[in-house]
Every structure is written in C-alpha cells, then in structure tokens.
C-alpha cells in the first residue's frame, strides 16, 4: 500500500481473519507509505494481530522502485523463499470475506492448467459520489461482461 491511511487497518483485519490452516498461512503487508501516520497505523495493526498469534509481517522498502509491482516482486520473492505455495493479493481498499481462500484455492489445487484465479470485487463506497458510482458501473461491466466473454471464448484478457 502507499499512504492508504483511511483503509490500511481494515484490510489488515480482513486478511488476518481469512480462514486457512495456520501452518500454511502468513499475512504479508507491503507498505511503501511515506506518510508517518499511515506507517504508524500499519505497525499498530500488525502488532495487534501478531499478539493474537497470527503469522504476519510488514515489508517496507528503502525505495519505491517499480512502485506496486516492485513491492509485489520483493514480497513474492520473500514468500517463495519461505516455502509458501499460494499467494492472494489484495489492494488496500479490498475487503475479502473470511472464506475467500476456501472458495478460491480449490481452483488451483490439482489443476496444472490454472495459473491464477481472479475474483469479482465491488466498490465499498458507490454511493459516496457520482464518480464512485460511475466507477462501480464501469467495473461491473468489465467483470460481468468483458471477462466472462473472454473466459468463455478462451481469449486472453487483462485485469
């Protein structure tokens, strides 16, 4: 995340509440924030969940090389060295349900033809303004029409 003060603690909470076997579960917070208040909020939440017994860490970089992709690359390398088999990636404003992993990982297990699973997500604030409503409409079209069509026809598709 990068200076996501308003949502940083909520996404950490949601991730730590995911249902999965504890020995195969680790929450890695990628925080490139430069805002000291955001960093403080992230540190507080990581410490809280660590005290509750959740395997969690915060990865902070000394530079923002590659921006989000750079942070993800470093995070993935760390998790790979630690032996984790699957990775779920969430933007800071996402709120995964506790059963998210239980509903998605089965598509990957035992299916060598599947490299990733992308799920539908929704905006949490479509009623906030006309802009957020327009974003919700656009995203819904993308998810319900474009991706479904590309998937059904075997075509490549982006986000």
């Amino acid at each position: 995340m990068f200076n996501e003060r308003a949502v940083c603690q909520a996404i950490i909470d949601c991730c730590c509440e995911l249902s999965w076997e504890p020995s195969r579960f680790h929450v890695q917070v990628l925080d490139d924030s430069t805002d000291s208040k955001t960093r403080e909020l992230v540190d507080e939440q990581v410490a809280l969940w660590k005290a509750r017994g959740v395997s969690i860490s915060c990865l902070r970089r000394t530079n923002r090389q590659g921006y989000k992709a750079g942070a993800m690359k470093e995070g993935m390398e760390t998790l790979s060295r630690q032996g984790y088999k699957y990775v779920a990636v969430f933007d800071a404003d996402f709120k995964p349900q506790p059963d998210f992993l239980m509903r998605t990982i089965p598509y990957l297990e035992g299916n060598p033809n599947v490299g990733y699973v992308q799920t539908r997500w929704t905006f949490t604030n479509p009623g906030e303004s006309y802009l957020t409503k327009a974003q919700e409409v656009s995203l819904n079209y993308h998810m319900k029409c474009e991706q479904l069509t590309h998937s059904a026809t075997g075509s490549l598709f982006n986000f």
Side-chain angles (χ1 to χ4, degrees), residues 2 4 7 12 16 22 29 32 40 49 61 67 97 99 118-119 122 129 140 142 148 150 152:
F2 181 70
E4 301 276 1
V7 294
I12 293 170
C16 290
V29 180
D32 275 359
E40 181 182 315
W49 284 102
R61 303 181 306 149
Y67 303 100
Q97 296 297 311
D99 65 346
Q118 182 174 349
T119 63
T122 59
S129 69
N140 283 339
H142 174 71
L148 182 63
H150 283 287

Side-chain angles (χ1 to χ4, degrees), residues 26-95:
H26 180 77
V27 175
Q28 182 186 65
V29 180
L30 304 176
D31 182 24
D32 275 359
S33 296
T34 56
D35 173 60
S36 60
K37 181 61 178 171
T38 301
R39 291 170 69 105
E40 181 182 315
L41 292 169
V42 167
D43 290 344
E44 285 175 11
Q45 221 58 14
V46 168
L48 173 83
W49 284 102
K50 194 174 283 190
R52 291 180 180 174
V54 172
S55 176
I56 184 171
S57 62
C58 179
L59 178 64
R60 289 207 172 97
R61 303 181 306 149
T62 57
N63 65 67
R64 293 200 62 230
Q65 184 176 0
Y67 303 100
K68 185 188 288 190
M72 289 177 61
K73 180 179 183 289
E74 286 191 34
M76 297 276 284
E77 288 170 353
T78 300
L79 293 174
S80 179
R81 283 192 305 272
Q82 294 172 346
Y84 289 97
K85 189 173 179 180
Y86 302 110
V87 175
V89 178
F90 305 110
D91 279 340
D93 58 352
F94 192 71
K95 293 185 178 176

Side-chain angles (χ1 to χ4, degrees), residues 4 7 11 68 89-97 100 103-104 116-126 131-145 147 157-159:
E4 301 276 1
V7 294
I11 184 59
K68 185 188 288 190
V89 178
F90 305 110
D91 279 340
D93 58 352
F94 192 71
K95 293 185 178 176
Q97 296 297 311
F100 179 88
R103 289 185 295 118
T104 55
Y116 71 95
V117 176
Q118 182 174 349
T119 63
R120 186 175 186 281
W121 58 276
T122 59
F123 278 90
T124 57
N125 62 341
L131 175 62
T132 57
K133 185 62 177 174
Q135 288 174 321
E136 178 191 43
V137 169
S138 174
L139 180 68
N140 283 339
Y141 173 78
H142 174 71
M143 297 300 269
K144 289 181 179 178
C145 298
Q147 285 199 348
F157 56 94
N158 64 357
F159 158 68

